[in-house]
């Protein structure tokens, strides 16, 4: 059987996780894009080497026409050349779906053969059944790493499945989503690097192929950052992503110009004619000069411009000056002079497909600059894949020439410095791919992306970088508690995500799922709650925008999408025709939080009619018999893919709170009678919740139903957002609240013993959705894993009834959450599993919703609430906490709150 050629062939270097002494060593996936032969389904065979481990895009054994003999089925990959081989990594799958999860079809056994000739293949290892995941195994267990014996070499690798598959209904079927074959470590290209280290940090410069290969900022304590900010070679990319090298080649820092036809000329493909190094008397390097660098294509075609570089350290900063001499006329489509490619977050499915590991350095940025002075647009280089709910903008250039701004950072290595950047002779910019496929910052000589140059033109531009203590600019959590480590960790989470990783659109400052990620109205309440415990510090740009104004603009854009029914159609919900009804409820509450923080009564008056229409959609849906809001069949909700009809407790709880918040807004705008009407609606709803949804005889213990369908059948999975908000909002009477928590604690103890529950975030549910799965996959999103933001509701709920200390109390949960953030930053997916491992998710590197969790310390344990007339404090401090302090912004002013041995004080800051 002949070999099939996939659409593109790419050899791939990918950086291993190595010790510092081995950092210049790379691993190669020899299988990517190679030719594949198979015993059946030959047209599908290239899928297993396309770089994407997609569940329903798989090769599988087939008998149409029948394979004779049926066993052994096999696949064979031609690596083109003989290599030393170390490991085969396999992801199992077939194109089958059980309504919730894909069904894997792993083989009963595997034999790996290697050879230099397909007629002379020899077995090198065998994998028995007990090492292979079971059919229907949980998604995170579908990968299998097979180590090959030392000394294994060959061109062809064949995987045989002699005993068929483990899928009981189709025992002859084996499915493969991806096969990766890793070889012996190869040395990276030897670079002629030289380093400048000074007060700014350290930079490594390649003198032969001009680029910056690493940039380490100086931390506030004087130490160098643990990781470089610059991207290295990606661990891998799919063939689709790498066709034009938009992602694969974006690493380090260098200069480039790309002409209107898309031909790209870069400094690192040129070579300077002269180099010189400046040193202090003690030998320390202070400056590097590279002259006559002809920007060149990767294929060696000389470009229209020649450059001189001067890289210097002085006054605590790194200065990079570039003089450009245009030797030919040029029509430029985009340029970076220079461009810094920051270590990237995953991009589409990159964590799932193991092309980026959560432990790799990852950096995302936000520029808090006046949006009126930002020129936004797009360019084909940054349209890395299509996702309609993300922002239409990818490129942002500051309109002010010769300005400064701080690139606020969210890093997974907890860098405590941001990048303070300034430019002379040009403009600062920020560019990124969709969902942060890559993140580029730098300067350019022109404000517009496209410009013209004549032969003989000369440009000079300087880019200056310095570290800035990230805790001194932007929005910060201000708390002082006896547990200093907890305060530091929560402060890092709050400041890093809110300032550096929550904005999905730099021009419009939309608070979304994350950088260049989905615009999502449903997260507005979480982000408003985070802002409610935040105080502004120094400005982070020459022309900055404050968080209040930015968030108000975000709310205005959401409210502008409300349709005639009263439903938001913003961002992700635009794709769903407004079907994510909970967006409305969260937005109403977010508006209330914003107004209390800012004191912006004019905004309240302007948006009140829209908010009333949003609430009325739900009031029109109240069922007369039950007094509960009734949803239509097939409605989606917070947990992606769970469809229901009838009476959802989550919706009822947040409708109650939205009505109470709407009543507050009505009071503020001078409409007390209308406010009383809304409160009456809320109180009637609370009574109906307690009458119709309370299940004292529920299996496992008393609790509310998660929902009751149209036939009257209750769902009793103990879903976090259908239980804890009822306590946090005061809907559940205290005796019922205590019973709910007793039910939870009993089950959590069982889950700890049975599944190793790590108590690092609130579980999405405590009993599986499907008894048919026999809890086999219990503990992964949305089957009992943790969607991080919901931890806020459990901490607040437990604190409300004084359940703070002990194994299951609010403090332990918050401490564990903070430790996990310190360890992992929760990057890698959108959830963690029951054991605390980052889940093998889809396309979201992280969810910015988690920024709300530190607010649980202030709102829950410290008991601080802001209303129209006053700040109230009802603390539930842990044992041993005799004093706690926090600062919040209320009605546009900062107030300091002190809790000391049972007494509280509130003082306006001067």
């Amino acid at each position: 059987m002949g070999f099939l050629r996939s659409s593109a062939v790419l050899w791939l270097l990918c950086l291993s996780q190595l010790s510092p002494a081995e950092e210049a060593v790379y691993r190669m996936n020899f299988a990517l894009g190679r030719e594949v032969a198979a015993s059946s389904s030959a047209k599908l065979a290239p899928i297993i080497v396309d770089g994407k481990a997609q569940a329903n895009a798989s090769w599988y054994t087939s008998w149409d026409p029948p394979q004779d003999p049926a066993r052994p089925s096999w696949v064979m990959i031609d690596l083109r050349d003989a290599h030393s081989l170390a490991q085969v990594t396999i992801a199992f799958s077939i194109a089958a779906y059980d309504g919730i999860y894909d069904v894997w079809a792993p083989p009963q056994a595997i034999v790996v053969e290697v050879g230099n000739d397909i007629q002379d293949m020899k077995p090198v290892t065998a994998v028995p059944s007990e090492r292979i995941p079971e059919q229907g195994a949980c998604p995170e267990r579908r990968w299998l790493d097979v180590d090959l014996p030392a000394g294994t070499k060959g061109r062809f690798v064949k995987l045989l499945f002699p005993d068929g598959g483990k899928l009981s209904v189709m025992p002859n079927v084996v499915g493969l989503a991806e096969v990766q074959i890793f070889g012996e470590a190869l040395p990276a290209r030897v670079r002629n690097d030289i380093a400048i280290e000074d007060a700014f940090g350290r930079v490594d410069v390649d003198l032969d192929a001009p680029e910056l290969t690493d940039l380490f900022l100086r931390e506030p304590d004087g130490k160098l950052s643990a990781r470089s900010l610059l991207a290295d070679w990606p661990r891998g990319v799919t063939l689709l992503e790498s066709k034009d090298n938009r992602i694969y080649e974006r690493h380090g820092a260098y200069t480039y110009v790309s002409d209107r036809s898309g031909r790209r000329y870069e400094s690192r493909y040129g070579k300077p004619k002269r180099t010189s190094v400046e040193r202090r008397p003690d030998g320390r390097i202070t400056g590097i000069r590279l002259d006559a660098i002809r920007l060149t294509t990767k294929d060696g075609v000389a470009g229209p411009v020649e450059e001189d570089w001067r890289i210097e350290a002085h006054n605590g900063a790194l200065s990079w000056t570039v003089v450009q001499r245009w030797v030919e006329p040029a029509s430029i489509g985009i340029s970076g002079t220079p461009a810094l490619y920051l270590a990237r977050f995953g991009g589409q499915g990159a964590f799932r497909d193991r092309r980026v590991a959560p432990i790799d350095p990852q950096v995302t940025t936000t520029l808090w600059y006046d949006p009126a002075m930002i020129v936004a647009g797009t360019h084909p280089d940054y349209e890395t894949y299509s996702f309609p709910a993300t922002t239409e903008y990818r490129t942002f250039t500051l309109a002010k020439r010769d300005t400064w701004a701080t690139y606020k950072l969210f890093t997974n290595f907890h860098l405590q410095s941001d990048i303070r950047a300034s430019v002379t002779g040009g403009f600062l910019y920020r560019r990124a791919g969709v969902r942060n496929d890559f993140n580029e910052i730098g300067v350019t000589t022109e404000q517009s992306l496209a410009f013209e140059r004549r032969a003989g033109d000369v440009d000079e531009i300087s880019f200056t970088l310095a570290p800035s203590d990230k805790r001194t600019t932007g929005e910060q959590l201000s708390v002082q508690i006896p547990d200093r480590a907890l305060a530091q960790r929560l402060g890092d989470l709050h400041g890093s995500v809110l300032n550096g990783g929550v904005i999905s659109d730099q021009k419009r400052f939309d608070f979304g799922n994350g950088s260049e990620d989905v615009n999502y109205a449903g997260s507005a309440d979480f982000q408003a709650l985070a802002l409610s415990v935040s105080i502004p510090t120094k400005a982070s740009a020459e022309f900055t925008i404050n968080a209040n104004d930015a968030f108000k603009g975000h709310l205005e854009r959401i409210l502008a999408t409300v349709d005639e029914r009263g439903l938001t159609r913003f961002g992700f919900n635009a794709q769903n025709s407004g079907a994510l009804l909970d967006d409305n409820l969260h937005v109403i509450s977010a508006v209330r939080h914003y107004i209390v923080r800012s004191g912006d009564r004019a905004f309240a008056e302007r948006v009140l009619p829209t908010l009333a229409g949003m609430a009325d959609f739900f009031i029109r849906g109240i069922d007369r018999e039950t007094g509960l809001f009734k949803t239509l069949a097939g409605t989606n909700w917070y947990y992606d893919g769970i469809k229901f009809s009838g009476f959802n407790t989550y919706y009822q709880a947040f409708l109650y709170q939205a009505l109470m918040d709407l009543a507050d807004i009505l009071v503020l705008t001078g409409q007390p009678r209308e406010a009383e009407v809304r409160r009456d609606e809320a109180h009637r709803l609370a009574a109906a919740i307690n009458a119709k949804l309370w299940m004292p005889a529920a299996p496992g213990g008393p609790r509310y139903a998660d929902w009751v369908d149209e036939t009257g059948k209750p769902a009793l999975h103990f879903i976090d957002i259908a239980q804890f908000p009822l306590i946090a909002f005061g809907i559940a009477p205290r005796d019922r609240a205590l019973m709910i928590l007793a039910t939870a604690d009993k089950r959590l103890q069982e889950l700890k013993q049975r599944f190793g529950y790590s108590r690092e975030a609130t579980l999405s549910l405590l009993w599986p959705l499907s008894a048919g799965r026999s809890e086999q996959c219990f503990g992964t999103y949305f089957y009992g894993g943790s969607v991080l933001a919901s931890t806020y509701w459990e901490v607040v709920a437990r604190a409300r009834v004084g359940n703070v200390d002990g194994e299951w109390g609010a403090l332990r949960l918050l401490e564990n959450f903070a430790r996990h953030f310190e360890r992992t930053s929760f990057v890698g997916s959108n959830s963690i599993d029951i054991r605390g491992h980052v889940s093998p998710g889809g396309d979201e590197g992280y969810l910015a919703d988690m920024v709300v969790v530190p607010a649980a310390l202030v709102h829950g344990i410290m008991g601080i609430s802001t209303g129209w007339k006053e700040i109230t404090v009802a603390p539930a401090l842990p044992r041993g906490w005799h004093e706690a302090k926090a600062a919040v912004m209320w009605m546009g002013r900062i107030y300091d709150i002190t809790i000391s041995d049972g007494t509280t004080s509130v003082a306006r800051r001067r």
Side-chain angles (χ1 to χ4, degrees):
M1 182 176 293
F3 283 92
L4 297 170
R5 184 176 298 278
S6 59
S7 59
V9 177
L10 173 72
W11 63 269
L12 178 66
L13 293 177
C14 55
L15 183 64
S16 304
Q17 296 304 309
L18 302 168
S19 67
E22 300 172 307
E23 284 183 350
V25 177
Y26 292 82
R27 287 206 317 166
M28 180 181 292
N29 172 15
F30 294 118
L32 185 64
R34 295 308 186 197
E35 297 179 4
V36 185
S39 58
S40 60
S41 303
K43 291 183 179 181
L44 289 173
I47 287 177
I48 69 172
V49 293
D50 69 353
K52 296 182 293 184
Q54 292 182 329
N56 285 342
S58 312
W59 171 86
Y60 54 92
T61 54
S62 172
W63 290 269
D64 187 17
Q67 178 179 317
D68 186 19
R71 298 174 183 171
S73 54
W74 52 269
V75 295
M76 182 158 55
I77 301 168
D78 180 0
L79 306 180
R80 186 182 293 175
D81 298 305
H83 297 286
S84 295
L85 306 177
Q87 186 182 76
V88 177
T89 296
I90 305 167
F92 302 108
S93 185
I94 63 168
Y97 197 73
D98 70 353
I100 296 178
Y101 277 124
D102 298 284
V103 176
W104 321 129
Q108 292 284 358
I110 304 171
V111 175
V112 181
E113 294 184 351
V114 176
N116 287 318
D117 188 305
I118 59 175
Q119 304 301 325
D120 186 25
M121 303 291 290
K122 293 182 171 57
V124 296
T125 191
V127 184
S129 182
E130 57 267 22
R131 277 205 59 209
I132 299 172
E134 295 301 314
Q135 85 73 21
C138 300
E140 76 272 20
R141 296 200 294 270
R142 70 189 178 103
W143 289 89
L144 178 67
D145 293 326
V146 181
D147 293 328
L148 303 179
T152 299
K153 294 181 180 180
R155 170 179 171 177
F156 298 93
V157 176
K158 188 174 187 178
L159 305 181
L160 293 93
F161 315 112
D163 301 318
K166 291 189 175 184
L167 191 60
S168 57
V169 294
M170 293 183 286
N172 286 323
V173 173
V174 172
L176 304 181
E178 187 71 9
V179 175
Q180 301 169 344
I181 302 173
F182 294 104
E184 188 176 86
L186 300 175
R189 177 180 63 82
V190 177
R191 298 190 302 222
N192 185 13
D193 281 6
I194 192 168
I196 299 177
E197 183 172 336
D198 208 288
F200 74 89
R202 193 188 92 204
V203 65
D204 296 338
V205 183
D206 188 333
L207 300 182
D208 290 339
E211 72 170 316
L212 274 57
T213 55
D214 285 300
L215 172 62
F216 300 86
L217 285 186
R218 189 72 64 183
E219 293 274 28
D221 63 4
K223 298 178 181 177
L224 285 179
S225 62
R227 312 293 289 270
S228 170
L229 284 171
L230 301 182
D232 209 315
W233 292 89
R235 184 178 298 273
V237 292
T238 66
L239 296 179
L240 176 65
E241 289 170 333
S242 64
K243 280 182 179 178
D244 59 4
N245 291 327
R246 285 184 298 186
I247 297 174
Y248 183 66
E249 296 288 1
R250 305 303 197 252
H251 55 83
Y254 50 89
T255 60
Y256 73 89
V257 296
S258 182
D259 63 24
R260 300 288 180 90
S261 69
R263 178 173 287 182
R264 186 176 169 98
Y265 305 94
E266 301 178 3
S267 61
R268 58 186 175 162
Y269 297 128
K271 188 175 179 65
K273 292 182 180 178
R274 295 174 299 279
T275 64
S276 60
V277 177
E278 299 172 5
R279 300 177 186 269
R280 294 177 182 171
D282 63 4
R284 176 172 290 188
I285 297 172
T286 59
I288 301 170
R289 181 160 188 145
L290 306 177
D291 291 332
I293 306 165
R294 186 70 177 266
L295 270 58
T296 305
T297 69
K298 186 178 181 180
D299 299 328
V301 178
V305 64
E306 186 178 75
E307 296 179 345
D308 298 335
W309 288 8
R310 193 168 64 251
I311 302 172
E312 301 172 299
H314 61 85
N315 297 327
L318 176 72
S319 175
W320 187 349
T321 300
V322 179
V323 176
Q324 292 184 317
R325 293 183 299 278
W326 294 86
V327 297
E328 298 174 3
S331 294
I332 301 302
I334 194 168
S335 69
T337 313
L340 278 62
Y341 292 96
L342 303 181
R344 69 188 185 105
F345 272 83
Q348 187 182 27
F351 297 109
R352 176 195 63 214
D353 297 341
R354 296 186 174 190
R355 291 175 283 122
V356 173
I359 59 173
D360 292 338
Q362 294 169 57
V363 182
T364 184
T365 64
T366 299
L367 268 174
W368 290 87
Y369 209 86
D370 183 351
M373 302 183 69
I374 295 177
V375 179
T378 190
H379 186 276
D381 279 0
Y382 304 93
E383 299 303 317
T384 46
Y385 70 94
S386 176
F387 197 90
T390 54
T391 174
E392 68 200 66
Y393 299 129
R394 297 282 172 262
T395 66
F396 305 90
T397 306
L398 305 189
K400 171 70 164 57
R401 190 181 185 90
D402 300 345
T403 190
W404 72 270
T406 301
Y407 290 92
K408 299 293 291 182
L409 306 180
F410 171 29
T411 70
N412 68 331
F413 49 95
H414 304 288
L415 180 62
Q416 295 303 304
S417 291
D418 291 321
I419 301 174
R420 190 187 189 280
S422 60
V423 60
T424 303
F427 303 85
L428 291 171
Y429 72 73
R430 178 184 180 278
R431 302 165 184 163
V434 181
R435 282 190 164 170
N436 218 58
D437 269 338
F438 57 89
N439 195 324
E440 174 188 342
I441 66 172
V443 293
T444 179
T445 54
E446 299 294 332
Q447 185 184 106
S448 62
L449 298 182
F451 58 90
E452 301 292 325
R453 284 294 182 268
R454 298 169 300 181
D457 286 348
V458 177
D459 298 313
E460 181 171 342
I461 190 168
S462 291
F463 188 31
T464 302
L465 304 173
S468 171
D469 188 337
K470 70 188 300 180
R471 300 161 296 189
T472 64
T473 60
E475 294 288 328
Q476 303 294 334
L477 179 70
S478 178
V479 295
Q480 297 176 46
I481 56 177
D483 188 339
R484 293 183 180 181
L486 177 62
Q488 188 277 324
R489 290 164 181 150
L490 293 179
D492 184 28
L493 190 164
H494 179 96
S496 296
V497 179
L498 189 59
N499 292 305
V502 76
I503 300 299
S504 60
D505 183 327
Q506 286 274 247
K507 172 67 174 176
R508 292 175 292 206
F509 282 90
D510 283 319
F511 292 67
N513 272 14
S515 301
E516 279 66 53
D517 212 309
V518 174
N519 292 324
Y520 175 48
S523 64
D525 193 19
F526 285 139
Q527 291 147 352
L529 286 166
L531 282 169
S532 75
V533 301
S534 188
I535 63 170
T537 57
K538 293 188 300 184
S540 58
E542 182 180 10
F543 298 97
T544 193
I545 181 172
N546 64 59
N548 276 351
D549 289 343
F551 193 68
K552 178 171 72 171
H554 177 55
L555 293 174
E556 287 174 332
R557 281 183 292 279
I558 294 172
L559 295 172
T561 69
V562 175
D563 63 20
E564 67 282 355
R565 298 172 297 169
L567 296 179
T568 57
R569 301 286 294 272
F570 178 78
F572 190 70
N573 214 1
Q575 295 185 149
N576 292 280
S577 302
L580 302 179
L581 306 180
D582 51 340
D583 278 15
N584 275 40
L585 304 173
H586 293 304
V587 169
I588 293 172
S589 292
V591 171
R592 189 263 188 195
H593 297 313
Y594 160 74
I595 296 168
V596 172
R597 183 179 197 257
S598 65
D600 191 348
R601 178 171 177 164
F603 176 76
E605 292 173 341
R606 188 167 71 251
V607 303
L608 185 56
T610 302
L611 300 179
M614 295 164 73
D616 286 340
F617 170 85
F618 290 88
I619 296 302
R620 292 192 299 270
I622 296 291
D623 178 67
R624 292 185 179 181
E625 181 179 347
T626 63
L628 299 170
F629 172 70
K630 186 176 183 179
T631 50
L632 303 175
T635 304
N636 270 304
W637 65 322
Y638 187 87
Y639 289 102
D640 306 340
I642 297 180
K643 297 183 183 295
F644 68 94
S645 61
F647 308 99
N648 183 291
T649 306
Y650 161 59
Y651 277 22
Q652 315 303 325
F654 282 88
L655 175 56
Y656 167 88
Q657 190 59 39
L659 291 170
M660 295 294 285
D661 289 336
L662 183 56
D664 281 350
I665 298 171
L666 286 162
V667 170
L668 180 68
T669 56
Q671 301 179 64
R673 290 187 179 180
E674 290 81 356
E676 199 58 36
V677 170
R678 294 300 184 178
R679 287 198 187 95
D680 286 345
E681 291 170 346
H683 292 150
R684 288 196 298 272
L685 181 63
I689 292 170
N690 280 302
K692 305 295 183 181
L693 298 174
W694 177 245
M695 301 287 163
R703 58 192 182 273
Y704 290 90
D706 301 309
W707 69 82
V708 174
D709 68 21
E710 291 177 328
T711 70
K713 181 181 178 181
L716 298 166
H717 310 290
F718 200 111
I719 292 177
D720 51 6
I721 51 175
Q723 303 294 329
F724 296 119
L726 293 169
I727 302 173
F729 296 152
I731 297 171
R734 180 176 174 81
D735 60 336
R736 290 187 177 182
L738 293 173
M739 284 189 276
I740 293 170
L741 295 181
T743 298
D745 294 352
K746 179 181 177 182
R747 176 62 172 165
L748 293 175
Q749 184 62 43
E750 179 182 331
L751 294 176
K752 177 183 177 181
Q753 295 171 349
R754 186 170 181 181
F755 295 105
Y757 174 43
S758 62
R759 191 60 172 162
E760 291 178 296
T762 296
L763 293 178
S764 56
L765 44 79
L766 303 189
W767 279 273
L769 285 175
S770 170
R773 294 181 68 83
S774 303
E775 298 190 344
Q776 183 176 7
C777 282
F778 185 74
T780 59
Y781 171 74
F782 43 84
Y783 250 86
S786 299
V787 180
L788 304 173
S790 297
T791 302
Y792 171 86
W793 294 117
E794 183 177 356
V795 172
V796 172
R798 289 182 179 274
R800 287 280 191 266
V801 295
N803 180 212
V804 176
D805 297 298
E807 182 175 10
W808 308 116
L811 179 62
R812 181 72 60 81
L813 175 57
L814 196 58
E815 288 175 335
N816 290 349
F817 189 98
R819 289 192 191 98
H820 199 308
F821 178 78
E822 183 178 58
R823 188 172 72 252
T824 69
S825 297
F826 292 111
V827 300
S829 183
N830 57 8
S831 63
I832 60 175
D833 68 17
I834 200 168
R835 295 170 299 283
H837 302 139
V838 175
S839 302
D843 307 330
E844 294 162 308
Y846 68 99
L847 283 183
D849 295 359
M850 70 177 169
V851 74
V852 73
V853 176
L857 171 63
V858 178
H859 294 150
I861 292 174
M862 300 179 72
I864 298 172
S865 301
T866 51
W868 299 124
K869 296 181 178 180
E870 61 182 354
I871 297 173
T872 59
V873 185
L877 299 185
R879 288 189 299 268
W881 285 27
H882 299 292
E883 185 173 85
K885 297 179 180 180
V888 299
M889 177 175 274
W890 178 58
M891 294 297 176
R893 302 281 187 173
I894 296 175
Y895 287 79
D896 293 301
I897 299 104
T898 300
I899 306 164
S900 181
D901 288 324
T903 64
T904 63
S905 65
V906 179
R908 178 175 154 182
R909 185 176 294 185
R910 295 186 181 276

